[in-house]
């Protein structure tokens, strides 16, 4: 859902992501500049597309995930990041690659992330109490390089904070006892850090 429909940016981003996937099957796919130039409404949003933003692109078909790839840190201009992540999502290594015949039936969602901020907690009870269901994206990471994130949209299927965090621990392959027992009673792992971020989501 586009929380800022008056901006008109959402349709541009989802159209750009869809074009990036559709053209990825060509022998020599067009570059980002060419894709942006082909979007009729892109010039009206040139400043927004040039701003460095972190994005995720999610591809679904008939309610099933077909790919989801993104970045947590703003490294590239928005338009470039969307094209990059859309093409990578179509080849998400966790899933069979998207076929050319699927493109027209894909649901495309572009999520633009706000900068992450640390959550100063050292206990799961505190983390659960600090989270804002439906609003917060959450990243967990440790000193060993393990990292996992859930976008705010995941709250729709995991609305309780304890289930949300436990599922993220499972996704990140932290020790099984953390996500199979009462989380509030679990000890906080040494070196674990939590960060949250907001997001603007555009679907089309």
């Amino acid at each position: 859902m586009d929380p800022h429909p008056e901006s008109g940016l959402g349709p541009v981003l989802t159209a750009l992501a869809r074009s990036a996937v559709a053209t990825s099957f060509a022998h020599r796919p067009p570059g980002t500049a060419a894709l942006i130039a082909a979007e009729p409404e892109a010039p009206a949003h040139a400043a927004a597309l040039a701003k460095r933003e972190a994005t995720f692109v999610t591809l679904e078909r008939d309610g099933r995930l077909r790919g989801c790839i993104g970045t947590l840190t703003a490294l590239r201009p928005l338009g470039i990041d969307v094209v990059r992540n859309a093409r990578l999502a179509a080849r998400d290594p966790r899933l069979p690659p998207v076929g050319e015949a699927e493109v027209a039936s894909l649901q495309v969602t572009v999520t633009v992330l706000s900068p992450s901020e640390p959550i100063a907690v050292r206990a799961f009870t505190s983390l659960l109490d600090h989270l804002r269901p439906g609003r917060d994206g959450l990243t967990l990471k440790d000193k060993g390089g393990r990292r996992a994130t859930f976008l705010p949209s995941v709250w729709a299927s995991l609305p309780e904070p304890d289930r949300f965090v436990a599922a993220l621990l499972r996704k990140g392959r932290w020790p099984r006892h953390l996500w199979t027992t009462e989380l509030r009673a679990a000890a906080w792992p040494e070196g674990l850090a939590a960060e949250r971020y907001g997001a603007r989501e555009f679907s089309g």
Side-chain angles (χ1 to χ4, degrees):
M1 182 179 66
D2 181 352
H4 301 287
E6 73 284 356
S7 72
L9 180 61
V12 173
L13 295 180
T14 55
L16 188 59
R18 188 179 297 277
S19 294
V21 175
T23 57
S24 67
F25 301 96
H27 178 63
R28 302 180 71 174
T32 302
L35 289 179
I36 293 176
E39 290 300 326
E41 301 301 318
H45 303 280
L49 293 172
K51 181 181 178 183
R52 286 194 179 190
E53 301 268 21
T55 72
F56 271 73
V57 175
T58 304
L59 307 176
E60 295 175 293
R61 184 186 181 195
D62 299 328
R64 299 194 310 272
L65 182 67
R66 295 298 287 114
C68 182
I69 297 291
T71 50
L72 290 168
T73 305
L75 301 174
R76 290 168 285 272
L78 175 60
I80 293 175
D81 208 55
V82 167
V83 170
R84 171 192 181 273
N85 291 335
R87 285 179 169 163
L88 290 176
R91 302 293 182 270
D92 190 328
R94 300 169 298 175
L95 299 163
V98 170
E100 189 170 4
E102 293 183 80
V103 175
S105 57
L106 289 176
Q107 175 78 10
V108 178
T109 301
V110 177
T111 306
V112 183
L113 278 54
S114 66
S116 296
E117 60 179 23
I119 307 175
V121 294
R122 289 295 178 268
F124 283 112
T125 295
S126 298
L127 175 61
L128 297 175
D129 290 343
H130 274 77
L131 286 175
R132 299 168 296 187
R135 294 176 56 191
D136 287 337
L138 178 65
T139 302
L140 297 175
K141 57 185 180 180
D142 63 23
K143 293 180 179 178
R146 184 180 295 157
R147 184 174 72 170
T149 194
F150 273 163
L151 298 174
S153 58
V154 176
W155 287 105
S157 57
L158 295 168
E160 295 84 17
D162 56 340
R163 292 179 57 210
F164 185 90
V165 175
L168 185 55
L169 289 164
R170 180 177 183 177
K171 177 184 178 183
R173 299 184 179 181
W174 272 276
R176 182 181 176 85
H177 73 272
L178 291 176
W179 43 270
T180 57
T181 58
E182 172 55 46
L183 192 56
R184 289 183 181 272
W188 187 262
E190 181 68 27
L192 183 66
E195 296 179 346
R196 67 180 168 194
Y197 53 87
R200 295 149 57 208
E201 190 175 286
F202 308 94
S203 296

